[in-house]
Amino acid sequence: MMRTRSLLSAVVVSLLASFAAAQDFPSKPIRLLVGFPPGGSTDVLARVLAQEGRKPLGQEIVVVNRPGASGVIAINEVAAASPDGYTISVSPSSAFTLAHHFMAIRPDLLEATTALMLIGRQRIGIVTHSGSPQRTLKEFVENARKNPGKVSVGIPGLGTKVEVITRAIAMHEKIDLNVVAFQGDAGVITNVLGAHVAAGSFSVGGWATHVRSGAMRLLASFEDDRFDVAPGVPTLVELGYPLTGATIQHLYGPKGLPPAIVRRLVAAFTEASRSQAFIDIATQNGLYDKNPLVGEALDTFLLKDRAANTELVAKLGLGLKKKP
């Protein structure tokens, strides 16, 4: 009986301590991890989110870059962190729902973390440098057909939706593309501009400015619709490919975050995402979504995305054991 009372007392004390901590949250700066180098779309979105989130939270938000493994290094650090709300991160959903098919990592990253809210949609296209003689995706494919294994396409990381769609195009056309993975959009941008790769598949935030300036040329949209920056360029579906590559960017923390801290973070970052500064940066980078998902709706989206990606990878014969 005494032991039962002691256990109950310990539980009550623990709950009260957690409640008190949640009430005082945040009482110190928050770390916002980014699993990619500075300059890419995830980093840009995280930095404006941190900037605009400081006021509603009343604390500094320090952006810390932890590049590597297509964002998984940062995810693992968050998953191992104390569930107190002081270590959170922004990541593309593909790191949770797709990367495990291409890298020897745990497949349950969704279950190891707490999804907080969608903060952007990552829209993707394939581009070449302006000096390329290939002006359309059809011309690019024909060049690759004539030069098997010699035509390279840069992507922002392995295990991404970008990689799957790029390889799916190659399989659909029965061509041998040399897919080169970099750490984030920044590496792809540098190599496309320098003509070190023949093309790059990555998010609109990385290439929109260069397409507008004429330094890059868009060959196709991986989305359901065309891009405003190049309305004359068709989508993959319009070109006859049964493929789309939409993914999201979402904010997450460790598993077991107290509900009060979850509510505090979601409320603060929802306010931040409605600021004009955030809207402007997210729009400029092709990431803005005015209807962010939260809570159960976000969890459902991510679980469905993981199931759909598993089906797509199997259908295409991709993954660790069957890469083309």
Side-chain angles (χ1 to χ4, degrees), residues 258-313:
I261 289 180
V262 170
R263 289 192 295 271
R264 182 85 170 92
L265 288 169
V266 170
F269 286 115
T270 296
E271 182 178 335
S273 71
R274 291 172 178 165
S275 70
Q276 195 58 51
F278 180 89
I279 292 171
D280 288 346
I281 293 295
T283 301
Q284 289 167 19
N285 286 275
L287 296 165
Y288 183 62
D289 191 303
K290 63 181 179 181
N291 297 307
L293 297 171
V294 297
E296 187 177 341
L298 177 57
D299 290 336
T300 299
F301 175 91
L302 291 168
L303 289 170
K304 285 184 176 179
D305 189 51
R306 184 170 64 183
N309 285 333
T310 297
E311 183 179 346
L312 178 61
V313 167

Side-chain angles (χ1 to χ4, degrees), residues 62-241:
V62 182
V63 176
V64 181
N65 294 89
R66 290 281 192 266
S70 298
V72 175
I73 288 176
I75 297 173
N76 284 336
E77 185 170 339
V78 173
S82 174
D84 54 15
Y86 291 102
T87 301
I88 56 177
S89 183
V90 173
S91 177
S93 56
S94 59
F96 292 84
T97 66
L98 184 61
H100 60 281
H101 291 291
F102 295 86
M103 295 182 285
I105 59 173
R106 58 191 294 184
D108 63 341
L109 291 174
L110 286 178
E111 288 76 13
T113 54
T114 300
L116 296 171
M117 60 182 288
L118 178 152
I119 59 168
R121 291 191 183 270
Q122 196 167 21
R123 306 178 72 232
I124 302 161
I126 181 169
V127 299
T128 63
H129 59 90
S130 58
S132 170
Q134 287 84 50
R135 305 189 66 84
T136 65
L137 184 61
K138 181 179 179 180
E139 291 176 359
F140 177 81
V141 166
E142 288 308 311
N143 180 52
R145 199 183 308 282
K146 294 174 184 176
N147 298 279
K150 296 180 181 179
V151 175
S152 55
V153 179
I155 60 171
L158 294 173
T160 60
K161 197 63 168 283
V162 180
E163 180 185 14
V164 170
I165 299 301
T166 302
R167 292 188 183 279
I169 291 171
M171 292 183 70
H172 182 85
E173 294 288 355
K174 297 181 174 59
I175 56 175
D176 181 12
L177 284 178
N178 178 24
V179 179
V180 183
F182 297 96
Q183 287 193 12
D185 290 348
V188 187
I189 293 168
T190 299
N191 282 274
V192 171
L193 289 174
H196 303 303
V197 292
S201 298
F202 58 114
S203 65
V204 60
W207 52 254
T209 299
H210 301 292
V211 168
R212 289 191 188 99
S213 71
M216 291 184 186
R217 180 184 303 124
L218 181 66
L219 298 182
S221 164
F222 285 11
E223 305 305 309
D224 294 323
D225 54 357
R226 298 186 180 195
F227 289 108
D228 292 340
V229 67
V233 178
T235 67
L236 289 180
V237 172
E238 288 176 316
L239 291 171
Y241 299 93

